[in-house]
Amino acid sequence: VELQVLNEIANNIGDSGIVSLVQTLCQPSSLDTEQNPPGNKRLSTAPHYNTTLQELYIGNNRGVTGAGPGRVAQLIGALPALTWLNMSGDEYTPVHLSDTAA
């Protein structure tokens, strides 16, 4: 089963939650580390990130400030199949993503 859509809208996970989620999606899979233990130069060293996630919905989470979406903007380049990202703010927590975050 390949993950193509992940919806975490309105789960109150805050900045740390959305950043942790996206960091996890951007890390090599555990299978890669099992097949390519550190120091083993014979096997391919290219990590395999999530290459199937096309849509990520992480908007409308309370406690999200500009810091969380700013970090997400820095990380999403490691998700090559991603074509849709929803980081819309919670109506009670205004979010401002600075021009320098991306």
Side-chain angles (χ1 to χ4, degrees):
V1 176
E2 296 178 343
L3 180 64
Q4 295 178 343
V5 177
L6 181 58
N7 185 339
E8 289 297 325
I9 288 179
N11 280 316
N12 298 324
I13 59 177
D15 278 331
S16 62
I18 65 169
V19 171
S20 294
L21 174 68
V22 174
Q23 283 177 328
T24 300
L25 292 169
C26 294
Q27 292 177 354
S29 71
S30 60
L31 181 61
D32 290 329
T33 56
E34 290 170 9
Q35 292 178 349
N36 190 16
N40 187 343
K41 305 288 187 215
R42 294 178 302 162
L43 300 174
S44 170
T45 58
H48 293 94
Y49 302 100
N50 185 310
T51 58
T52 60
L53 183 65
Q54 297 171 6
E55 299 179 22
L56 178 58
Y57 300 88
I58 53 176
N60 296 324
N61 280 288
R62 286 190 180 203
V64 174
T65 67
R71 183 68 182 127
V72 168
Q74 294 171 344
L75 293 168
I76 60 170
L79 301 172
L82 192 66
T83 57
W84 185 262
L85 174 63
N86 177 322
M87 294 194 300
S88 59
D90 179 69
E91 64 182 299
Y92 303 108
T93 310
V95 175
H96 173 70
L97 181 59
S98 71
D99 294 335
T100 60

